[in-house]
Amino acid sequence: MRGFWGLMRAYWFSERWKEAWALTIIIALLTAVASKASVWIAEASGELVNSIAFFHNPLNMSPLATLLTNAGMLVLLVMIKDVAFVGVRHLFSSTLHRKWRAWLNSRFNKALLDGNHTHFHVQHAARGKDGLIAEAPDNIDQRVQDSIKQMTGGAIGLAMGVLGVATSLYFVGQKLIETSTSVAGLEFLGDYGGAVLAFAAVALYVPANTLIAMKLGGILERLTIAIQQAEGSYRAELTTLLRRSFHVAAAGGENVQKEMHDRLYVGIDRTWGRLNWINAGYMSFETIYNFVAARIVAYGPGLLPYMHEQIDLKRYVTGAELVNSLISQCSWFIQVMPSIATLKANARRITDLAIAIENVQQPQEFYRLSGRSDFRYDAQHPVFGLTVKRLELMHQGEDAQPFLSAGNIRFRRGEWTLIKGESGSGKTSLIKAINGLWPYGQGDIVFPEGVRSYYAAQDVKLQQVSLKRLVCLPDGDEAHADARVAAMLHKAGLGDFIEYLAAEDREGKTWDQVLSGGQKQKLMLARILLHQPGILFLDEATGALDLDAKIAFHQAIKDNCPGITVISVMHELEPPKAANGASFYHSILLVEDGIALKTPIVANPPMEVAAALVQPFPVDGARLRLARIIRAKGKRPGLR
């Protein structure tokens, strides 16, 4: 689905091709029958007009009966066409629209929400071979929802229009040939001279103006894309405002937010203004085109035979109306060019997203286009725990220098390590890199084989599912018994919510709205206690809790998750201690001046973690200064 036509036909060649083709064939048949019904209606209209014209003719023995019969037949044909053909076709076309959109939506959801964390990687830019930065796709929500919906609906409508034009042209062209006559100077064409002139007039007039329409359509397409981007950015900012509404109110930031909205809307207004100018120009072009076609071009082909009295006025007017009908059918592309421009704009938004998704299927290869990305992830025997070797973290750019370096660091089974450092020193980046969520840098990360890990972040955003499902994530709620989930909620300090275990909301509010920041962090504790991971990353996961709650948080993990390895980022000067005064943490990983060094903080650690705390020589101020000197000279310190 990287190109327009690939996107258009993907559904029809997917695993649901039978459904797609069945609906398409039914719609095509109904469209063809509706076009044929138009001819029947035209003939019935002629009969009705004829019965009116000859109502007082002496030869008409039953004028009223004939008139009523022809009128009834016309009404019946119109009802059959509009109800049995057009109405039923609309039902099938709307069903095809719904099915096609659902299939595309599921494809993009599956691609974005895969185990590769594509939804995360696709929001990063990359430098291409031409040296230019490729912007990450903006407003992904708008692309997946609005663009897919508008594109699928527009494509089906245009396809039905094309089919309708083709079938109508067949019948109108057939009628032109039937009523054609010879033309002076074109006797060699016989009775087809009039039809040839008519077809020639259409062939000269329509394509030339179609080219003009295509040029204007290209401008409309670009402006449509621009206004979709502007509208999407404005909507995204409004959505963000609602999420941080309290913080804006508490900081009195309404004026700043208003300035942001005004600045974003300027882009919408400017693009909208240009779009209005082009739309107005296109409307004028189309109006003049239709007038010339109906009053000049349509009457041109029959003028020569009429001047030579080869046809009478009635046949001349009839032929002109047929030519005008033919021009009208052939001009369908001109009439719908704005819709085509919108269709192409939506398709481009979708294909750009599809390309971005495909580009990040190999994340490191993708990130190497815009920087250095040489992380290597491996597994080892669980007895050796988690090991980080020669790790360097960088930002985007080929010439970017490491902002954080770590030598050989080992986290043994059962060891609790506190990562300390000033704000902005790279503590969270280090945890992200270990978990494969930092794009740039290099080094080896070796996880214990078969050991489950869990990453608890400071900011908790809860999805709109049941409370039980929130605790069971990433497992399904059927994977754990209600009693066990309730027990974990109680241990985490959320026992008051056990009765709402199966509810997706409480009093009309989602759980993300109901729970406070501290309660959300306790919910994460319940999830940890339920899954009992072997390695736990706490990225300021207790920042919203008071001291007693932080102690209870740590104590619950210690009591219920034996042998767990904890790697935690906290801003406290001293790590929390248990009620008996013992420290929960066995070691500190200090991040300072771009260097990460690990040192023990307990005199008699448990035997299962003692080996992890052994250093070849004491980590004191002299060693730290030595590491800084080595770093300043551009060498990688071989630290353990």
Side-chain angles (χ1 to χ4, degrees), residues 28 47 55 57 95 187 222 230 233 237 251 267 436-437 462 633:
E47 292 293 336
F55 187 84
N57 192 300
T95 301
E187 290 84 1
R222 291 191 292 272
S233 298
E237 185 57 41
L437 298 175
L462 302 178
K633 292 183 178 181

Side-chain angles (χ1 to χ4, degrees), residues 394-616:
M394 307 171 187
H395 292 295
Q396 188 180 77
E398 297 292 340
D399 300 326
Q401 296 299 313
F403 66 85
L404 177 61
S405 297
N408 296 338
I409 302 176
R410 177 171 294 177
F411 303 92
R412 290 293 184 105
R413 182 178 183 274
E415 180 183 4
W416 289 41
T417 302
L418 178 65
I419 303 178
K420 296 184 64 175
E422 296 181 356
S423 297
S425 60
K427 303 184 299 296
T428 295
S429 301
L430 175 60
I431 291 183
K432 288 181 177 179
I434 294 174
N435 285 274
L437 298 175
W438 185 262
Y440 303 105
Q442 61 182 348
D444 297 327
I445 298 96
V446 186
F447 276 86
E449 189 174 16
V451 175
R452 189 174 189 175
S453 65
Y454 183 79
Y455 184 171
Q458 178 182 16
D459 295 326
V460 181
K461 303 296 182 183
L462 302 178
Q463 294 153 301
Q464 192 171 347
V465 293
S466 68
L467 180 60
K468 180 183 178 182
R469 185 69 186 274
L470 289 174
V471 179
C472 292
L473 283 175
D475 298 339
D477 52 7
E478 72 283 352
H480 303 277
D482 289 356
R484 178 165 172 76
V485 175
M488 297 306 108
L489 280 173
H490 178 74
K491 290 181 178 181
L494 296 175
D496 294 341
F497 296 100
I498 292 177
E499 60 182 300
Y500 303 101
L501 206 59
E504 293 187 1
D505 55 42
R506 182 179 180 185
E507 298 178 354
K509 294 183 178 181
T510 66
W511 290 110
D512 193 62
Q513 298 170 318
V514 170
L515 301 180
S516 66
Q519 288 174 325
K520 290 178 183 179
Q521 292 184 338
K522 290 181 179 180
L523 181 65
M524 294 302 100
L525 172 60
R527 189 180 295 174
I528 294 167
L529 300 181
L530 179 68
H531 292 94
Q532 295 194 347
I535 300 177
L536 175 62
F537 298 90
L538 300 176
D539 188 3
E540 300 185 41
T542 59
L545 302 175
D546 58 28
L547 179 58
D548 291 340
K550 288 179 182 179
I551 294 174
F553 187 102
H554 285 75
Q555 191 66 54
I557 295 174
K558 188 174 183 63
D559 293 342
N560 294 277
C561 302
I564 189 173
T565 299
V566 178
I567 303 171
S568 175
V569 173
M570 298 179 69
H571 281 299
E572 281 73 7
L573 295 177
E574 296 293 334
K577 296 182 179 181
N580 60 5
S583 176
F584 291 108
Y585 290 89
H586 310 118
S587 58
I588 286 181
L589 183 64
L590 180 63
V591 179
E592 188 176 15
D593 294 335
I595 302 295
L597 293 174
K598 187 164 172 280
T599 181
I601 58 173
V602 292
N604 298 305
M607 292 187 63
E608 61 180 354
V609 302
L613 305 180
V614 175
Q615 300 289 340

